[in-house]
């Protein structure tokens, strides 16, 4: 494995960087070190990225934030009051070199606070306090207008983020999950990500989660409006501790290895190559991909991985890691069985739990409640089978997920009754948020 400094500067600056410790580390861990060579075998490789946790950040990256707030009639009362409180608390924590804007939307979108440096916080909060609820939900237009505000002061040296909050169905303008996901992808290509916060049980979670996922940001389901200030604080806390961003992971499988894709992610391989883009890693954060591949013959190298990123702890320099996942072959099946990595197998099952939740939602959506419950119960059994060989830290996750799956399975299946009573909007949103967080290492 080697780390490459791509952006050159003064010799003293480079030396300081080399001795400062790595901002990101890359580890490639196959689910087995030794593979039986009697037939083609599937191998899962964990591509593990982690950011340093204990390095003080002397100067944080400036923010370019646009809050896009739903002020439709359904937001009247506690929802809007808490949303405004959360937005004002966010303003309090910004600094003069940050940029802030605010867009509100109901029947149409409008700019409440044009993009500007955070110099007069009292004036900004007065604007926020003046918001009143009315009208419908032009969500697409609101997000697009928020992104346009970011573009006014867009810079690769700033973190450019839209924070969208809504409690209802988008019913003015483009409103399908596919259209909003496409918008999220387009914004991601421009260096903008969209965190989405869904409030209550009446919004479209597929739309909100899809928008956030397409731009590699965060998605929150908030059933209790009292938690809105804490959610805004959590989101801002992450933005203030970004260690690396603009992360591009390039994966190449050599001849003799057939890439089968990533568990829980949609990225595809073309000509033995694929790439995955992540918006950022914060201090101490760990994010990983699970690559499935079929090994044919005796090719010891199964995946070459290169990671390019902007290092925010070392002056915004462009840096890179590269490494190669390797295995050995044996004619003895028992040797192969002994080399299985229990941690990676367990993490694979945890990721497959997210996939199972998505499948269960799809079945329940069309009334197949017993099928949905069976999917969740089956995945709980698979997690239990992986429990014994997993390390203690992962065992804790397995136990929590197993209990969770059992609970959802009972609820959706109606304890054998097959009724719809256990699959209400809150249950669907909880399942979907959990799946989102697992698949995106959140």
């Amino acid at each position: 494995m080697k780390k490459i400094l791509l952006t050159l500067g003064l010799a003293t600056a480079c030396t300081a960087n080399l001795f400062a410790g790595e901002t990101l580390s890359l580890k490639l861990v196959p689910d087995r070190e030794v593979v039986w060579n009697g037939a083609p075998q599937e191998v899962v490789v964990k591509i593990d990225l982690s950011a340093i946790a204990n390095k003080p950040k002397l100067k944080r990256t400036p923010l370019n934030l646009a809050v896009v707030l739903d002020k439709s009639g359904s937001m009247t009362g506690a929802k809007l009051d808490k949303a405004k409180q959360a937005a004002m608390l966010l303003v309090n924590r910004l600094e003069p070199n940050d940029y802030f804007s605010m867009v509100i939307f109901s029947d149409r979108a409008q700019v409440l606070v044009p993009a500007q440096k955070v110099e007069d916080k009292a004036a900004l909060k007065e604007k926020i306090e003046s918001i009143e609820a009315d009208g419908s939900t032009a969500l697409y237009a609101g997000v697009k207008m928020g992104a346009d505000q970011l573009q006014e002061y867009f810079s690769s040296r700033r973190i450019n983020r839209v924070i969208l909050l809504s409690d209802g169905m988008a019913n003015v303008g483009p409103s399908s999950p596919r259209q909003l996901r496409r918008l999220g992808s387009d914004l991601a290509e421009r260096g903008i990500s969209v965190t989405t916060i869904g409030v209550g049980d009446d919004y479209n979670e597929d739309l909100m989660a899809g928008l956030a996922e397409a731009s590699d940001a965060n998605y929150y389901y908030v059933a209790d409006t009292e938690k809105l200030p804490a959610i805004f604080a959590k989101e801002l806390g992450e933005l203030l501790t970004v260690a690396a961003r603009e992360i591009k992971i390039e994966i190449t499988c050599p001849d003799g290895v057939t890439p089968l894709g990533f568990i829980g992610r949609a990225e595809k391989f073309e000509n033995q190559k694929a790439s995955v883009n992540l918006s950022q890693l914060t201090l101490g954060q760990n994010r990983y991909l699970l690559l499935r591949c079929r090994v044919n013959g005796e090719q010891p190298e199964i995946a070459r991985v290169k990671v390019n990123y902007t290092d925010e702890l070392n002056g915004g320099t462009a840096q890179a890691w590269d490494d190669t996942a390797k295995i050995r072959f044996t004619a003895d099946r028992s040797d192969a069985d002994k080399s299985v990595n229990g941690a990676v197998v367990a993490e694979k099952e945890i990721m497959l739990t997210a996939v199972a939740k998505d499948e269960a939602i799809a079945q329940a959506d069309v009334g197949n409640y017993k099928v949905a419950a069976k999917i969740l119960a089956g995945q709980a059994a698979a997690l239990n089978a992986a429990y014994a060989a997993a390390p203690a830290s992962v065992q804790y996750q397995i136990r929590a997920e197993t209990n969770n799956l059992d609970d959802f399975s009972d609820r959706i299946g109606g304890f054998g009754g097959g009724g719809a009573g256990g699959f209400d909007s809150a249950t669907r949103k909880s399942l979907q948020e959990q799946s989102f967080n697992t698949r995106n290492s959140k």
Side-chain angles (χ1 to χ4, degrees):
M1 182 191 300
K2 59 183 178 179
K3 184 170 187 290
I4 307 166
L5 178 64
L6 298 179
T7 300
L8 301 180
L10 296 174
T12 53
C14 292
T15 302
N17 180 284
L18 291 172
F19 286 98
E22 307 298 353
T23 296
L24 287 191
S25 63
L26 168 67
K27 293 181 181 178
L28 306 181
V29 188
D31 66 350
R32 68 199 69 189
E33 294 180 2
V34 182
V35 174
W36 181 57
N37 59 10
Q41 302 284 306
E42 181 174 316
V43 176
V44 174
V45 179
K46 181 182 180 184
I47 302 171
D48 192 350
L49 271 179
S50 57
I52 193 169
N54 57 1
K55 181 176 178 180
K57 194 169 183 183
L58 301 179
K59 185 179 179 182
R60 71 166 174 84
T61 308
L63 306 181
N64 182 19
L65 299 183
V67 173
V68 177
L69 179 62
D70 181 351
K71 73 173 195 77
S72 60
S74 59
M75 287 287 291
T76 301
K79 290 179 184 177
L80 186 58
D81 290 342
K82 283 297 176 182
K84 292 194 294 186
Q85 179 187 340
M88 288 188 284
L89 289 173
L90 182 148
V91 167
N92 279 339
R93 293 186 61 187
L94 298 179
E95 297 179 355
N97 62 337
D98 295 320
Y99 285 88
F100 176 81
S101 57
M102 190 164 192
V103 169
I104 53 177
F105 64 92
S106 53
D107 297 321
R108 63 184 180 86
Q110 64 183 97
V111 177
L112 178 72
V113 177
Q116 59 189 269
K117 282 192 171 183
V118 182
E119 295 174 335
D120 189 344
K121 293 184 179 182
L124 294 176
K125 290 189 287 186
E126 185 177 352
K127 283 275 193 181
I128 295 169
E129 184 59 51
S130 71
I131 300 170
E132 295 183 357
D134 62 69
S136 300
T137 311
L139 188 148
Y140 186 101
V143 174
K144 193 172 183 303
M145 189 173 287
D148 290 343
Q149 287 300 304
L150 292 185
Q151 205 66 49
E152 288 289 316
Y153 295 101
F154 180 89
S155 169
S156 61
R157 295 185 176 275
R158 300 189 183 101
I159 296 170
N160 305 282
R161 177 71 59 97
V162 172
I163 301 176
L164 165 69
L165 185 149
S166 179
D167 77 329
M169 297 285 185
N171 52 24
V172 177
S175 57
S176 72
R178 181 184 61 81
Q179 289 169 313
L180 269 295
R181 183 177 279 273
R182 179 69 257 174
L183 176 61
S185 297
D186 291 344
L187 294 178
E189 290 177 4
R190 289 162 50 186
I192 294 170
S193 51
V194 185
T195 284
T196 62
I197 303 170
V199 183
D201 293 328
D202 296 326
Y203 69 91
N204 185 330
E205 59 268 29
D206 294 336
L207 182 155
M208 296 287 272
L211 175 57
E213 188 165 41
S215 63
D216 193 50
N218 296 320
Y219 160 62
Y220 303 94
Y221 161 44
V222 183
D224 181 1
T225 55
E226 292 293 325
K227 295 181 179 178
L228 278 175
I231 294 295
F232 269 69
K234 180 178 184 294
E235 179 71 10
L236 183 60
E238 287 192 13
L239 296 175
L240 296 178
T241 57
V242 171
R245 58 193 180 94
E246 297 174 329
I247 302 155
K248 183 174 184 179
I249 307 169
E250 298 174 325
I251 304 99
T252 304
C253 291
D255 293 339
V257 176
T258 303
L260 303 176
F262 303 98
I263 299 176
R265 296 191 68 98
E267 289 87 350
K268 303 293 184 184
F269 277 79
E270 292 185 12
N271 300 319
Q272 300 288 100
K273 296 181 179 181
S275 63
V276 176
N277 296 320
L278 304 179
S279 61
Q280 64 188 45
L281 261 73
T282 59
L283 289 173
Q285 187 177 18
N286 170 252
R287 299 187 69 178
Y288 63 91
L289 311 173
L290 292 172
L291 167 66
R292 295 174 57 233
C293 49
R294 183 181 295 114
V295 179
N296 310 298
E298 295 194 5
Q299 166 60 261
E301 293 187 0
I302 54 176
R304 304 178 188 117
V305 179
K306 183 175 182 180
V307 180
N308 293 283
Y309 65 97
T310 299
D311 187 340
E312 292 301 318
L313 300 185
N314 286 294
T317 54
Q319 300 193 40
W321 272 107
D322 66 61
D323 199 3
T324 302
K326 298 179 181 179
I327 53 175
R328 294 183 290 109
F329 290 86
T330 181
D332 187 340
R333 296 191 78 156
S334 64
D335 286 346
D337 293 341
K338 291 174 185 175
S339 76
V340 171
N341 186 311
V344 176
V345 170
E347 287 160 340
K348 178 185 73 173
E349 289 301 335
I350 290 171
M351 191 66 76
L352 287 172
T353 299
V355 176
K357 289 174 182 175
D358 290 339
E359 292 173 349
I361 289 172
Q363 291 294 331
D365 281 346
V366 295
N368 296 330
Y369 304 111
K370 284 206 168 189
V371 174
K374 186 176 180 179
I375 290 170
L376 297 177
Q379 186 55 33
L383 282 171
N384 277 325
Y387 180 85
S393 59
V394 182
Q395 284 182 336
Y396 175 82
Q397 288 180 270
I398 289 175
R399 185 57 59 219
E401 281 285 13
T402 303
N403 292 337
N404 195 21
L405 289 173
D406 288 341
D407 176 57
F408 279 120
S409 178
D410 287 343
R411 261 198 270 173
I412 294 173
F415 296 96
F423 189 67
D424 56 12
S425 180
T427 298
R428 192 185 193 281
K429 284 175 168 60
S430 293
L431 272 170
Q432 205 252 20
E433 183 190 34
Q434 291 171 12
S435 171
F436 176 96
N437 288 332
T438 300
R439 287 184 289 102
N440 294 282
S441 304
K442 299 290 189 180

